Amino acid sequence: MNKRVKFDFDIRFTNGGGIKGEDFRLDIAGDDISDKELADYIVADMRLLMVGETRILNKEILTEPHKRKPVSSDAPNYLVDLSHAIEHGLVTYKGLPAPVVCDFLSREASAALYDGDTTFQIGKIEMVTNTGTYIDCPFHRFADGKDMSEMPLERFVDLEAIVIRVPHEQGLAVTADRLRNHEIRHRAVLVHTGWATHWNTPAYYENHPYLTAEAAEYLRDCDVKLVGIDSHNIDNTQGRSRPVHTTLLGAEILIVEHLCHLELLPEQGFTFSAVPPKFKGVGTFPVRAMAKLKKSIE
């Protein structure tokens, strides 16, 4: 059944003055809509600038036929989280210690430090940098390579990206041939193998998908910006050499390992971000990797 909302609004501007409206009516997609969603819609629809306090008054939901495209109370989510959650005891890489996540100052202990019912928690984390979903920069492989603090910020944020689907059931080795016939130059290349379904299980660490040395050279020669994979390691860990890390990081091509949810992305038409803290002397660190979709997935 069609629903509309009737309301008044009062919008104040940060540089003085304001604007009011009475008995406005808008079509809505659901049975209700919040005051904040209405205010955001009015500000965007009227292209208002310097907006300060906004108030929605006398809101009433009506049953009436729609007259225009409805305001959706379920706005499309254009961000897709591609990171695993880090928690106490998580093993990311077999042989490396799991993180210790605990209180430095608990809420109970902090109660004695503040008035009333005010409490705070200050956490303490002890972990190796290869924990969860993380990014590698050149210092991880090369002593004279750039560390996290030396990489330009634009290398981590809003990179034009592409997903290349290479199901692990079709073979663990991702060769250069499986990367051809895609628009990859100057892009972040995310290799979707489906291995993330094994995350935090014994199977995750053994016989995992990986890129071949030839594939890394192909990506380097195509001048990609970043390479990510939803696997235990971008290199084959059966031996002691790491040609993919060597080739990509040697060319200052960033690497993101242990991605997830790549199945939720279209093959292209999105940007990729994975931003670490600005640490000196660190070549790897966990990130909140994400995709920003340019349009909703139908």
Side-chain angles (χ1 to χ4, degrees):
M1 187 169 294
N2 292 340
K3 297 287 185 179
R4 308 188 78 207
V5 60
K6 183 176 74 170
F7 62 99
D8 305 334
F9 66 83
D10 183 1
I11 297 176
R12 302 286 98 191
F13 298 114
T14 58
N15 58 348
I19 183 172
K20 295 184 178 182
E22 296 182 354
D23 200 22
F24 260 60
R25 299 191 182 204
L26 289 173
D27 300 332
I28 60 175
D31 292 331
D32 200 0
I33 189 168
S34 70
D35 290 359
K36 183 182 184 304
E37 289 165 330
L38 275 179
D40 289 346
Y41 179 84
I42 290 295
V43 169
D45 198 50
M46 299 179 71
R47 300 183 180 180
L48 301 177
L49 302 175
M50 307 291 285
V51 173
E53 180 185 7
T54 61
R55 291 196 298 159
I56 301 296
L57 308 166
N58 304 319
K59 184 175 71 176
E60 181 182 356
I61 303 298
L62 308 174
T63 301
E64 293 181 353
H66 285 179
K67 296 183 179 180
R68 58 182 292 188
K69 184 178 179 180
V71 181
S72 175
S73 58
D74 297 318
N77 183 0
Y78 288 93
L79 295 179
V80 179
D81 193 340
L82 305 177
S83 308
H84 292 290
I86 297 173
E87 58 185 338
H88 177 81
L90 171 73
V91 175
T92 300
Y93 201 98
K94 188 177 291 186
L96 296 180
V100 176
V101 183
C102 59
D103 289 339
F104 175 79
L105 177 68
S106 68
R107 298 190 185 279
E108 293 75 16
S110 75
L113 304 177
Y114 304 97
D115 294 333
D117 59 356
T118 300
T119 62
F120 293 94
Q121 186 265 0
I122 298 177
K124 180 180 178 181
I125 301 173
E126 178 180 324
M127 69 179 187
V128 295
T129 54
N130 292 53
T131 298
T133 301
Y134 52 76
I135 193 165
D136 295 341
C137 68
F139 184 74
H140 178 52
R141 172 63 181 81
F142 301 101
D144 59 350
K146 291 179 180 177
D147 64 18
M148 292 299 173
S149 70
E150 294 170 321
M151 293 300 300
L153 190 57
E154 58 266 23
R155 296 296 305 276
F156 302 114
V157 181
D158 285 342
L159 305 175
E160 290 291 331
I162 183 171
V163 172
I164 298 180
R165 308 201 190 277
V166 188
H168 66 83
E169 296 89 349
Q170 298 176 11
L172 298 180
V174 179
T175 64
D177 285 343
R178 303 181 82 175
L179 303 176
R180 300 187 196 279
N181 301 314
H182 295 281
E183 185 62 58
I184 61 174
R185 184 173 177 80
H186 294 168
R187 290 188 173 188
V189 177
L190 309 182
V191 181
H192 176 213
T193 70
W195 199 251
T197 58
H198 298 303
W199 174 254
N200 208 16
T201 71
Y204 187 74
Y205 314 106
E206 307 295 339
N207 299 318
H208 58 84
Y210 60 90
L211 269 60
T212 64
E214 179 193 20
E217 293 167 359
Y218 176 74
L219 292 169
R220 178 200 61 197
D221 294 344
C222 290
D223 200 17
V224 304
K225 295 296 185 184
L226 177 150
V227 182
I229 193 168
D230 59 346
S231 181
H232 179 241
N233 199 304
I234 202 167
D235 263 301
N236 184 359
T237 57
Q238 295 295 313
R240 298 178 62 178
S241 64
R242 297 291 184 269
V244 179
H245 280 83
T246 300
T247 297
L248 296 181
L249 296 180
E252 295 194 352
I253 298 170
L254 300 176
I255 298 170
V256 180
E257 294 169 312
H258 311 285
L259 288 167
C260 60
H261 304 316
L262 294 180
E263 69 276 3
L264 301 179
L265 300 181
E267 291 190 0
Q268 53 188 336
F270 66 95
T271 60
F272 177 78
S273 298
V275 186
K278 194 175 180 179
F279 271 111
K280 286 185 176 293
V282 170
T284 298
F285 207 82
V287 290
R288 190 71 176 265
M290 69 192 75
K292 182 190 296 181
L293 303 187
K294 295 182 179 179
K295 58 183 179 179
S296 59
I297 302 175
E298 299 297 337

